Amino acid sequence: MRKVRDYDAELKALGDKARALKAKRVEQLGQLVAATGADALDAETLAGVLLDAIGSKDASAKEAWRAKGAVFFQRRGRKGGGAAAIDGSGAAAEPGGDAAGGSGGTANG
């Protein structure tokens, strides 16, 4: 005899997992803002910068931002710490720390 599947329980479990993944993503984005030093900007300025980055058609500028972001994460990976890094490498995110990579470098990541 076939085992009866509980579709409602499976849907609930999938919904719970999706909510947990979304919450983790939001937390990581907040950590990214803090780690880059972009938390010093007011919300309107930060939103404007991100909207400009998203709307940019300049491929060379986007590539330059991506490269800065990659360097930023590589530097973060070499620093030690107990908390998980934004990129998941295991290094700590230090609020107000090395902002050399800039906030634009990670906007298109």
Side-chain angles (χ1 to χ4, degrees), residues 4-87:
V4 177
R5 289 180 66 175
D6 187 353
Y7 291 109
D8 290 334
E10 289 180 28
L11 283 173
K12 183 181 181 321
L14 286 173
D16 291 346
K17 185 173 183 176
R19 278 188 292 282
L21 289 171
K22 185 174 181 178
K24 181 178 179 181
R25 174 100 171 128
V26 169
E27 181 181 347
Q28 287 176 332
L29 289 171
Q31 290 173 349
L32 178 62
V33 168
T36 59
D39 57 339
L41 299 172
D42 60 274
E44 292 82 7
T45 303
L46 181 58
V49 168
L50 293 172
L51 289 170
D52 276 353
I54 290 169
S56 176
K57 303 285 187 220
D58 186 356
S60 63
K62 286 184 176 185
E63 177 56 27
W65 295 334
R66 190 208 58 77
K68 281 184 179 180
V71 168
F72 173 79
F73 282 117
Q74 288 172 356
R75 267 193 236 132
R76 308 263 345 139
R78 286 196 295 263
K79 294 181 180 180
I86 297 162
D87 63 352

